[in-house]
Amino acid sequence: MRFKDVFSIIGPSMIGPSSSHTAGAVRLGRTARQALGTAPFEADIHLYGSFADTYRGHGTDLALVAGLLDFDTDDARIRNALVVATEAGVTVRFHPERPPVAHPNTATIALRRGEEGIRVTGRSIGGGNIEIVGIDRFDVKFTANYPTLLVFHGDRAGMIAEVTDVLMRAQVNISHMEVDRESRNGEALTVIECDQPIPSAELNRIGRLPNVSKVRVINLSETSSYADTEASPGGVDRQP
Amino acid sequence: MRFTSLKQLSDLCEQEGATIGRMMVVEQARETGQSEERIVAQMASYYEVMKEAVRKGLHDDTRSRSGLTGGDAKRVRESALSGVRPPSLGGEASAALAYALAVSEVNASMGRVIATPTAGSCGIIPGVFVSSQERFVWDDETLVQGLFAAGAIGYVIANNSFVSGAEGGCQAEVGSAIGMAAGALTEMRGGTPEQAMHAVGLALKNSLGLICDPVGGLVEIPCIVRNGFGAVTALAAADMALAGVRSAIPSDEVIGVMLEVGSAMPEKHRETAKGGLAQTPTGRKIMKELYGKEGKS
């Protein structure tokens, strides 16, 4: 089922004018920001299909940047997002792209802050709903409708069992899960959609597991507030 | 959810003696693990946003960011109330029309709306709901249950076809909203779940094939007036269903046709502004003014 509940049909509450080009775009931007784990300094946003053709008129540019600032879809500041971003020292570049894509409303968002970087590809499928289809070089698929755990780790036996064991102990139920790896024994990404928010103690525990390089949480249901430089509470980095 | 088709939904309601709205609340609670109270409260807050958008659209300045549209809801409402030339639709349907235009204009001016199911079609359900509430003196609870009914219908349409113009044309976007509003209104007025299902099929048949061809790619021309028309169509479909008119082609099959037609629709007629009204001489001229000399590439 692409649409899982009543509020993916009635809702979201949003600033117009387009649920796919504005509300969906906010959620794509917000997902990318949370995947980075912190506010970005630099963003390169590649737009495909109808996003590339009509982004200015729909305020897609404002919406994507509002998401990078962690605004929610009905935040009245969306219309001033480009100004707010500039004031916060975020450099944003838009790249309308030509090649045809599988879905008309697709964006690839590359974010950087110092050594940290992430590239998120997603599409807006209507009514403010999104599908993330790629993170860095990994092909994964999730909706960001649920608290979603991104675990970046080395590909080795037992890794997933150890992560899910931590979740089980915290009574966090997994609704959907995906794993993709670069190569055997190479880098891998496990995406876990959960029914409950993941407590920070469990995040820290997962972050400390052997071979886990970083952990991020996507949670778009939590009302955002603008924090310009603070790392999201959900992110855990393995210190080298 | 225990239903994936309108037939299953209607059968389930009959078996359990529940309205579609009630069934959706129960299923939503089951699916998300949230309390019914919380779910109903969220929907009630959405209905408040809808009423506020109607009010705003009728009283505030709704000029869109592009400057292309705005103020039509006021024109229609003031004309109807002036008594100079009574609306051909009659006062009640004329209110539904004006309210739908109002919300759609608020959307185009970057105001706050509820996507139902999308922002492009956000005027139809509030237009039908708010005008019907005034007319039939319903309490908010009735309307909130009605929104759950509309959501259940939209859930079936969205998962078996599409609800965005980019994927399936305007039939998917405005068409779905009309079907949702028609089914929900049928139920709120005391129709059976089966009658509500017929209302959906009757309504959807009237928008099959409708392309998405917004001028300049913006949710303005012709989207805003199509929301107005959509609200009126939903009233008509509900009236037919309540009178006992049946959709000879079952509503689930009509949804299948929407998928077939939308999948066959050329890209230029799916929100890209590369065909239809967007590429008329005037549509191109507007686009040139919006995007500069090159026009929209």
Side-chain angles (χ1 to χ4, degrees):
Chain A
M1 288 291 163
R2 290 203 303 163
F3 298 84
K4 289 199 160 56
D5 79 327
V6 74
F7 294 117
S8 61
I9 304 297
I10 307 288
S13 176
M14 58 168 283
I15 300 298
S18 164
S19 44
S20 50
H21 290 72
T22 320
V26 171
R27 300 183 78 234
L28 285 172
R30 235 185 132 193
T31 301
R33 181 221 167 99
Q34 294 186 3
L36 182 69
T38 173
F41 280 153
E42 255 185 294
D44 280 283
I45 302 178
H46 301 265
L47 303 164
Y48 299 89
S50 158
F51 267 11
D53 290 333
T54 64
Y55 73 98
R56 279 208 185 89
H58 279 123
T60 306
D61 46 354
L62 301 174
L64 286 162
V65 172
L68 298 183
L69 298 168
D70 216 19
F71 294 175
D72 209 344
T73 53
D74 64 351
D75 195 312
R77 294 172 296 176
I78 289 172
R79 62 177 83 195
N80 301 318
L82 291 175
V83 176
V84 179
T86 306
E87 284 170 3
V90 186
T91 305
V92 184
R93 287 176 292 264
F94 289 96
H95 311 274
E97 304 286 1
R98 297 309 317 160
V101 281
H103 189 278
N105 294 325
T106 302
T108 295
I109 304 172
L111 303 180
R112 273 175 307 281
R113 184 188 182 93
E115 297 292 293
E116 277 292 314
I118 198 129
R119 195 163 53 100
V120 175
T121 298
R123 48 211 194 187
S124 181
I125 61 169
N129 297 287
I130 61 170
E131 279 172 355
I132 301 299
V133 294
I135 298 223
D136 289 341
R137 283 153 295 175
F138 303 109
D139 295 326
V140 289
K141 208 165 171 180
F142 63 96
T143 64
N145 283 337
Y146 304 89
T148 303
L149 195 58
L150 307 180
V151 185
F152 297 81
H153 58 86
D155 177 45
R156 67 164 174 83
M159 192 69 249
I160 290 160
E162 286 174 29
V163 173
T164 56
D165 182 62
V166 175
L167 294 175
M168 180 191 75
R169 284 168 202 280
Q171 298 279 302
V172 172
N173 189 47
I174 296 170
S175 60
H176 181 80
M177 187 168 154
E178 290 214 5
V179 187
D180 191 35
R181 63 180 184 188
E182 274 180 340
S183 61
R184 194 167 173 179
N185 298 321
E187 287 297 305
L189 171 62
T190 294
V191 175
I192 304 175
E193 290 187 299
C194 301
D195 284 335
Q196 295 85 15
I198 303 116
S200 56
E202 273 64 33
L203 286 178
N204 286 319
R205 205 159 292 155
I206 294 169
R208 284 195 303 266
L209 291 172
N211 280 313
V212 170
S213 52
K214 66 179 176 185
V215 178
R216 293 287 179 265
V217 173
I218 313 297
N219 189 350
L220 303 189
S221 66
E222 273 173 15
T223 312
S224 57
S225 60
Y226 178 49
D228 57 350
T229 54
E230 295 303 308
S232 295
V236 177
D237 273 306
R238 159 97 8 154
Q239 295 303 321
Chain B
M1 305 290 164
R2 285 183 293 162
F3 58 90
T4 55
S5 68
L6 292 178
K7 176 80 169 66
Q8 284 171 353
L9 174 59
S10 155
D11 287 350
L12 205 55
C13 289
E14 302 277 350
Q15 282 161 27
E16 305 193 0
T19 61
I20 302 167
R22 177 71 199 137
M23 182 60 63
M24 187 72 246
V25 174
V26 171
E27 291 299 303
Q28 177 75 10
R30 196 196 302 257
E31 175 67 31
T32 61
Q34 292 173 346
S35 69
E36 289 186 12
E37 198 181 12
R38 180 172 163 186
I39 291 162
V40 172
Q42 182 171 348
M43 195 65 94
S45 77
Y46 282 2
Y47 189 55
E48 290 304 317
V49 175
M50 291 181 195
K51 286 195 287 191
E52 173 59 17
V54 168
R55 195 203 59 74
K56 219 169 161 249
L58 291 175
H59 297 102
D60 296 359
D61 178 20
T62 52
R63 190 120 293 263
S64 65
R65 261 180 97 227
S66 68
L68 288 175
T69 53
D72 286 345
K74 272 190 226 176
R75 282 183 193 97
V76 169
R77 195 64 191 138
E78 280 163 17
S79 167
L81 294 176
S82 72
V84 174
R85 199 183 290 113
S88 307
L89 283 172
E92 289 90 354
S94 177
L97 165 66
Y99 294 4
L101 294 174
V103 176
S104 220
E105 288 181 331
V106 166
N107 178 61
S109 65
M110 287 195 90
R112 185 172 290 133
V113 298
I114 305 296
T116 52
T118 65
S121 56
C122 70
I124 292 160
I125 287 178
V128 169
F129 276 49
V130 177
S131 64
S132 296
Q133 179 174 28
E134 288 172 3
R135 181 179 177 185
F136 301 114
V137 201
W138 287 332
D139 54 18
D140 280 352
E141 207 190 317
T142 304
L143 283 300
V144 171
Q145 285 295 314
L147 287 177
F148 280 105
I153 294 160
Y155 169 83
V156 171
I157 297 172
N159 281 314
N160 290 289
S161 181
F162 11 56
V163 290
S164 78
E167 290 181 302
C170 195
Q171 57 162 8
E173 196 154 331
V174 155
S176 297
I178 299 171
M180 290 159 63
L185 179 61
T186 302
E187 175 154 293
M188 287 189 289
R189 297 211 61 200
T192 63
E194 202 194 347
Q195 284 176 317
M197 294 310 122
H198 283 294
V200 178
L202 290 166
L204 288 181
K205 278 187 282 191
N206 193 47
S207 49
L208 285 177
L210 194 61
I211 58 172
C212 178
D213 51 353
V215 171
L218 306 181
V219 190
E220 296 191 45
I221 304 166
C223 322
I224 294 172
V225 295
R226 280 187 189 161
N227 273 264
F229 285 123
V232 175
T233 303
L235 301 182
D239 277 352
M240 280 194 261
L242 286 164
V245 177
R246 302 167 67 83
S247 177
I249 305 298
S251 302
D252 287 308
E253 294 181 29
V254 180
I255 294 171
V257 177
M258 192 208 274
L259 177 66
E260 177 211 317
V261 172
S263 303
M265 215 174 256
E267 192 212 342
K268 66 178 182 175
H269 294 147
R270 284 186 284 114
E271 212 186 341
T272 54
K274 288 173 181 158
L277 296 169
Q279 290 296 331
T280 54
T282 303
R284 294 165 75 100
K285 184 167 155 269
I286 291 172
M287 212 179 310
K288 217 173 208 175
E289 285 161 12
L290 283 174
Y291 297 102
K293 261 213 146 10
E294 303 296 311
K296 200 176 61 59
S297 54

